[in-house]
Amino acid sequence: MKRTLFVLASVLLLASCGGTPSTPKSTPSSEGDTSVESQVSSPEESKASYTITFKDETGAVLDSRLWEEGTIPSYNYQKDDTQEWDYTFEGWSASLGGEVITIPAVSGEATYFAIVSQVKQRYTLTFDSGDGSEVASITEDYGTSIDKPDDPSWEGHKFVAWSYDKAGEEKVTWPLTLTESKTLYANWNEIIDIKAYLSSLVGVLKQDPFGYIPEKMRPTNSANHVQESQVTYDFNSFVNVSDIKYGGYGEQWNMVIGNIAESQRFYRAIAVGETILNASIVAFNNYLDSNPSDTATHTLKETDYTAKLDFHNGVLTYILQYKTGWNIPFFGEVLPQIDMVYDVASGERSARIQLSENNAMRYIVRDGYYAFAIEYGVSAVSRKAFFEIDAQDEENIKGHIYEYVQFKDKDLVPSCADFYITPTWTSVVGNKASGMPGFAGYINELYRTEEGKLLGYEVRETFTKWAITATYHTLWFNLNNISGINNVKAIPTGEVSTGLGAQNPHEIYLNNSASIFEPTYNTKLGVKTSRKYDVEMRKQSFFGYKDDALTEFQVEIPMMFIQADHDG
């Protein structure tokens, strides 16, 4: 009290002396002490501020700051939904997990907690059965385990499975855990009775692999057929180039069609026993008519044959064993066995035809694809081959063939080729060149598909001699495609040399000249390594009828080559 009176007196004294009282500086007050400022402040007292804290539903701080006394604090809180939960902000509580309150005006420090309610998200599983019966959708909470519903039905079809995609590649595994809304698609198989499957399977025994080959590229193409006299030449005298029949098949393509023709021998052999085959089919069909079911197993034991049919899990197996031997041209005495399998789901059909120990074929047929493995011959010498052809689309085809001769369990003369057929060109790349002594390279024959005639070919081969190695690229042309050459004569020298650097086994004369046509040569370090430009007799195959039988005529005719040295 004394101090207060002293201050007031001082102010009055200053006023009476004409002075102006100064404003005291604001200084923090000590506890229990009263500052000068608090005694001279404006009539409206300053409001106090207090810390207000907002926390989420777990107690984590969202916001903490000063709020002026008397104001109503607030905080805009929103909790995002998740795939599993749907969150709703209900309001604020004075305690964690407490009751929702109305926040009062600030009168002191306070903490408020968010109150959030949550419910499981709900999702819907929709079933698209296409033309099948309707399947009701299922709506459940996130995480619910859903069992497979009853299968839909569709007349003439069998339900296979539900999938996440229309193509049926992503099959659903049941039970399904619901985590989002989805549409599932029904997969169907058209119902075909076992009799129809059996008929389709037996049909592969009449498979014609030439059906994949353009007509003009087949040996049966009559437009390119010749008579034997047309491809018989005496090159000891000059022969006009215009009289030479060009455009036959080279060795690469001939290997392709030759193996297809060999496979057809097996089809023709089966035709010999078609009466027994048909009888077994009739007997099986009678059994299936009287025992309709989704599965079947039945065995026939007859005088001339035994047969077994089995159908389970979408796979049909049919085995026919003949008891009576046949004498078939080329094969001799045989006792055939046929094993066939049809995988209904994939559409793949396969068959194995065993005629004798060294004569057998197995082949696979599916949409746009045909392949066979074949062995034929006698016990000491046999030929084996693998062939496949794949239709890329309606116009483009590619294929592969590998063959080798086996002599007393030793593989001899392995050959292989890849072929490509387009509407314009047919190309076959292989390593078969029996007409080239010592050949060890690759040949690419080129044909015009709509004509089925050899246009020429290119050869790539590597030569090594006297420690000299070189790679050469050779182009071969029919003489009738080269201007300036009117006639040709080829006299055998009687000398045979092998390898890339071999001499021409014929003396070549052109245009009625009495002088031998001299080739030009590639050289390495001054040494002649190979002929660079020359005319040589090359093998081409033609087809025509002789004694009412389609016959191959192999002919040596002159072709020109130009060779490039890749190393120089």
Side-chain angles (χ1 to χ4, degrees):
M1 177 64 73
K2 290 180 179 180
R3 184 176 177 183
T4 302
L5 293 175
F6 172 76
V7 172
L8 291 174
S10 298
V11 173
L12 292 173
L13 179 59
L14 288 172
S16 65
C17 294
T20 303
S22 61
T23 302
K25 293 182 178 180
S26 175
T27 58
S29 60
S30 300
E31 186 177 354
D33 192 15
T34 304
S35 68
V36 174
E37 180 182 14
S38 64
Q39 302 301 320
V40 296
S41 59
S42 61
E44 184 177 348
E45 294 288 336
S46 295
K47 293 185 178 180
S49 295
Y50 297 98
T51 300
I52 303 300
T53 301
F54 288 92
K55 295 185 178 182
D56 67 11
E57 70 280 4
T58 67
V61 175
L62 298 170
D63 183 59
S64 184
R65 57 190 173 91
L66 293 173
W67 286 80
E68 192 176 77
E69 183 180 8
T71 60
I72 298 178
S74 64
Y75 181 81
N76 185 21
Y77 178 56
Q78 180 177 346
K79 185 173 178 64
D80 294 334
D81 295 338
T82 65
Q83 189 169 353
E84 181 177 3
W85 296 102
D86 180 3
Y87 295 106
T88 302
F89 173 67
E90 304 290 351
W92 299 99
S93 173
S95 61
L96 186 65
E99 297 293 328
V100 175
I101 63 171
T102 300
I103 297 178
V106 175
S107 60
E109 292 186 354
T111 298
Y112 298 102
F113 299 86
I115 300 300
V116 176
S117 62
Q118 64 180 32
V119 294
K120 287 271 188 162
Q121 298 278 21
R122 290 179 67 78
Y123 294 107
T124 298
L125 204 58
T126 303
F127 299 90
D128 184 346
S129 59
D131 292 329
S133 60
E134 184 177 347
V135 177
S137 61
I138 299 174
T139 300
E140 294 290 347
D141 292 344
Y142 175 97
T144 300
S145 180
I146 307 297
D147 292 326
K148 185 171 80 75
D150 292 338
D151 294 342
S153 60
W154 181 15
E155 186 177 355
H157 294 77
K158 181 178 181 180
F159 176 77
V160 178
W162 292 103
S163 64
Y164 294 107
D165 63 316
K166 289 184 178 181
E169 295 179 356
E170 300 178 54
K171 295 290 191 301
V172 175
T173 300
W174 301 94
L176 177 153
T177 300
L178 195 61
T179 59
E180 59 182 321
S181 292
K182 284 184 177 294
T183 296
L184 304 183
Y185 300 91
N187 304 151
W188 301 92
N189 272 346
E190 185 177 357
I191 294 175
I192 304 175
D193 58 29
I194 301 176
K195 288 175 58 177
Y197 290 145
L198 181 58
S199 175
S200 178
L201 177 56
V202 174
V204 303
L205 294 177
K206 298 181 180 180
Q207 175 71 30
D208 180 11
F210 274 119
Y212 293 89
I213 305 297
E215 183 179 356
K216 295 297 179 67
M217 293 300 299
R218 305 177 197 172
T220 53
N221 174 29
S222 59
N224 289 342
H225 283 175
V226 301
Q227 296 178 1
E228 187 175 15
S229 60
Q230 292 178 289
V231 289
T232 302
Y233 308 100
D234 180 7
F235 286 105
N236 289 301
S237 302
F238 280 101
V239 176
N240 290 331
V241 171
S242 60
D243 293 334
I244 300 174
K245 195 78 171 177
Y246 284 100
Y249 295 146
E251 285 191 279
Q252 311 311 302
W253 187 249
N254 214 37
M255 176 173 62
V256 172
I257 61 175
N259 278 282
I260 294 177
E262 290 297 338
S263 73
Q264 289 186 311
R265 290 179 184 268
F266 286 84
Y267 298 120
R268 289 194 290 270
I270 291 302
V272 174
E274 193 165 4
T275 300
I276 290 178
L277 177 66
N278 291 338
S280 71
I281 299 302
V282 171
F284 278 132
N285 284 338
N286 290 335
Y287 160 76
L288 294 170
D289 285 339
S290 59
N291 296 275
S293 175
D294 291 336
T295 62
T297 297
H298 190 56
T299 300
L300 300 172
K301 295 183 179 181
E302 305 295 332
T303 302
D304 295 328
Y305 69 91
T306 60
K308 181 178 180 180
L309 176 143
D310 183 86
F311 182 75
H312 284 88
N313 299 322
V315 176
L316 176 64
T317 303
Y318 172 61
I319 301 172
L320 178 64
Q321 173 72 59
Y322 292 83
K323 294 180 181 179
T324 305
W326 308 339
N327 196 298
I328 302 177
F330 180 79
F331 294 112
E333 184 74 20
V334 299
L335 193 64
Q337 177 174 325
I338 306 171
D339 301 351
M340 293 182 285
V341 178
Y342 183 13
D343 187 327
V344 175
S346 67
E348 181 176 286
R349 295 168 293 168
S350 64
R352 181 179 181 276
I353 303 172
Q354 180 83 43
L355 297 181
S356 66
E357 181 180 356
N358 297 99
N359 291 280
M361 180 176 76
R362 182 178 186 273
Y363 57 98
I364 296 173
V365 178
R366 56 178 180 264
D367 189 21
Y369 178 86
Y370 176 85
F372 68 75
I374 188 173
E375 177 183 7
Y376 53 97
V378 295
S379 58
V381 181
S382 65
R383 182 182 296 272
K384 298 180 179 180
F386 171 77
F387 174 92
E388 68 177 347
I389 191 165
D390 188 0
Q392 304 294 289
D393 50 44
E394 293 182 357
E395 295 185 328
N396 298 283
I397 297 170
K398 71 175 183 178
H400 174 80
I401 186 169
Y402 176 82
E403 68 166 15
Y404 60 89
V405 175
Q406 191 174 56
F407 177 71
K408 294 182 178 180
D409 297 327
K410 292 183 179 179
D411 295 343
L412 305 174
V413 197
S415 303
C416 64
D418 292 319
F419 56 93
Y420 308 88
I421 303 173
T422 72
T424 306
W425 308 106
T426 294
S427 172
V428 53
V429 183
N431 68 343
K432 186 171 185 177
S434 60
M436 293 183 179
F439 176 79
Y442 297 92
I443 298 179
N444 183 2
E445 296 174 353
L446 184 65
Y447 300 80
R448 194 182 299 278
T449 304
E450 60 265 29
E451 295 178 357
K453 295 182 177 181
L454 176 66
L455 299 177
Y457 51 88
E458 57 180 334
V459 177
R460 183 184 179 93
E461 52 192 326
T462 300
F463 165 77
T464 301
K465 187 174 184 180
W466 300 321
I468 299 173
T469 300
T471 299
Y472 295 97
H473 183 252
T474 309
L475 296 176
W476 291 81
F477 303 94
N478 294 324
L479 291 188
N480 63 351
N481 291 325
I482 300 174
S483 61
I485 300 179
N486 302 316
N487 54 42
V488 59
K489 180 169 69 173
I491 307 297
T493 64
E495 298 180 5
V496 178
S497 58
T498 61
L500 186 60
Q503 297 300 310
N504 196 330
H506 291 81
E507 293 177 348
I508 302 297
Y509 299 85
L510 300 177
N511 297 336
N512 295 317
S513 173
S515 300
I516 298 174
F517 176 76
E518 291 292 338
T520 58
Y521 289 88
N522 293 299
T523 60
K524 285 286 186 182
L525 302 177
V527 177
K528 292 181 179 180
T529 55
S530 67
R531 286 171 289 146
K532 184 175 184 178
Y533 174 73
D534 202 358
V535 174
E536 188 171 308
M537 303 300 286
R538 306 298 303 139
K539 185 186 296 183
Q540 291 190 22
S541 293
F542 297 85
F543 287 85
Y545 281 90
K546 182 179 181 180
D547 299 329
D548 296 326
L550 186 63
T551 305
E552 177 188 355
F553 304 107
Q554 287 194 350
V555 185
E556 282 198 335
I557 52 180
M559 296 182 70
M560 176 172 284
F561 71 81
I562 300 174
Q563 187 178 95
D565 179 355
H566 281 279
D567 298 325

